[in-house]
Amino acid sequence: MAESTDFVDAFLKDIKEKLTPIAKLELDALLNLKRAHIGSTKSTDNSGVVPEEAGTFRFWDFSYYSNLTKVWTHSFDVKKFSEYFSLERSLEGMMSTFSRLFGLQFCKITADPFSKFGPEHVMTWHPDEIVLSIWEDAINSGDFLGYFMIYIGVSWMFLNCAVDPAIPDSPLYSNHAGYYNLRPGFISLSGERQYPASALFMNLPKPLSNMLGLLKHNDARSLFHEPGHAIHNQTTRTRYAIFHGTTARDFGGIPSIKLEN
């Protein structure tokens, strides 16, 4: 943690001095792309002069021309990328990668064993929810670590009666992803280990009867980023609940950022 406000000010000033020249180069490249794009669409007056707008880079231009850079500069084809990342295979790949990296086993809880669970076990709120139990592999201890729930679909927090569901770009289908720690792990007063439960909500295209659910690049990245928070929490072993998982806020995103890369 930072020792003083002077330390923080000096740290931020140092970052600004180092990153400003780099940011200016990237901004100039995007501005040149905007000029080229406006010129290619023949948005000129009768004299052939590109309008003043081409020389101004606005805040709302950033996302558009950043995406255009992928197409024009890097020849990145979103549709071609998606063909290699179906939802089912990507979920399998995510769990396989985490298994190899951390020595974990993911076991899907199906309808049969779930129906035999008692009130002390994890419960679900939707039939499409995926429930996994996480274990350390046999090479380690083979111990049970906790529950991990995944829900792929339209998140309840984006439901809005005023939004037309027929419009795919409406907030109803917002590309939101979020991780939530439902229950921390800790040692109870009786000395028993209480196991954590984590939930992942992601608005991703689910497969239909005649169509695969294909992920965009940002979707695939989120599929590795958000579960990183869950793995961080599931593998935490603390005596007190208050110390479970991410307690240092400035470190909270580091495991997930590493995993998405």
Side-chain angles (χ1 to χ4, degrees), residues 44-51:
T44 59
D45 56 27
N46 293 331
S47 65
V49 178
V50 176

Side-chain angles (χ1 to χ4, degrees), residues 30-162:
L30 291 173
L31 181 57
N32 290 332
L33 179 63
K34 181 178 180 179
R35 291 194 184 103
H37 180 239
I38 291 180
S40 69
T41 56
K42 299 180 181 180
S43 300
T44 59
D45 56 27
N46 293 331
S47 65
V49 178
V50 176
E52 183 179 352
E53 176 63 24
T56 305
F57 198 82
R58 305 186 185 280
F59 176 79
W60 51 83
D61 288 331
F62 181 79
S63 295
Y64 180 80
Y65 286 103
S66 294
N67 287 327
L68 198 61
T69 297
K70 298 177 184 178
V71 178
W72 283 21
T73 306
H74 305 297
S75 301
F76 180 77
D77 190 323
V78 176
K79 292 184 178 180
K80 286 292 183 182
F81 174 89
S82 296
E83 292 176 2
Y84 293 90
F85 288 87
S86 66
L87 177 58
E88 298 92 335
R89 293 298 301 273
S90 297
L91 282 171
E92 292 173 4
M94 178 266 289
M95 288 185 281
S96 174
T97 300
F98 289 176
S99 295
R100 294 196 308 272
L101 285 176
F102 305 114
L104 302 176
Q105 287 186 330
F106 295 86
C107 301
K108 187 173 181 180
I109 299 176
T110 58
D112 289 337
F114 175 75
S115 64
K116 301 176 183 178
F117 277 10
E120 71 277 9
H121 287 84
V122 65
M123 303 299 289
T124 60
W125 55 84
H126 194 278
D128 290 344
E129 181 185 351
I130 301 171
V131 184
L132 305 169
S133 59
I134 304 181
W135 306 72
E136 287 195 300
D137 61 22
I139 297 178
N140 294 303
S141 63
D143 291 344
F144 175 66
L145 295 177
Y147 295 104
F148 182 30
M149 287 154 277
I150 304 174
Y151 177 69
I152 306 295
V154 180
S155 177
W156 60 269
M157 65 184 67
F158 284 92
L159 292 178
N160 186 337
C161 295

Side-chain angles (χ1 to χ4, degrees), residues 2-10:
E3 299 177 355
S4 65
T5 54
D6 290 338
F7 176 87
V8 174
D9 289 339

Side-chain angles (χ1 to χ4, degrees), residues 223-243:
L223 194 60
F224 279 80
H225 178 100
E226 297 299 339
H229 295 300
I231 297 302
H232 188 184
N233 279 275
Q234 297 300 116
T235 54
T236 298
R237 294 187 180 183
T238 56
R239 180 176 181 179
Y240 300 107
I242 192 173
F243 298 121

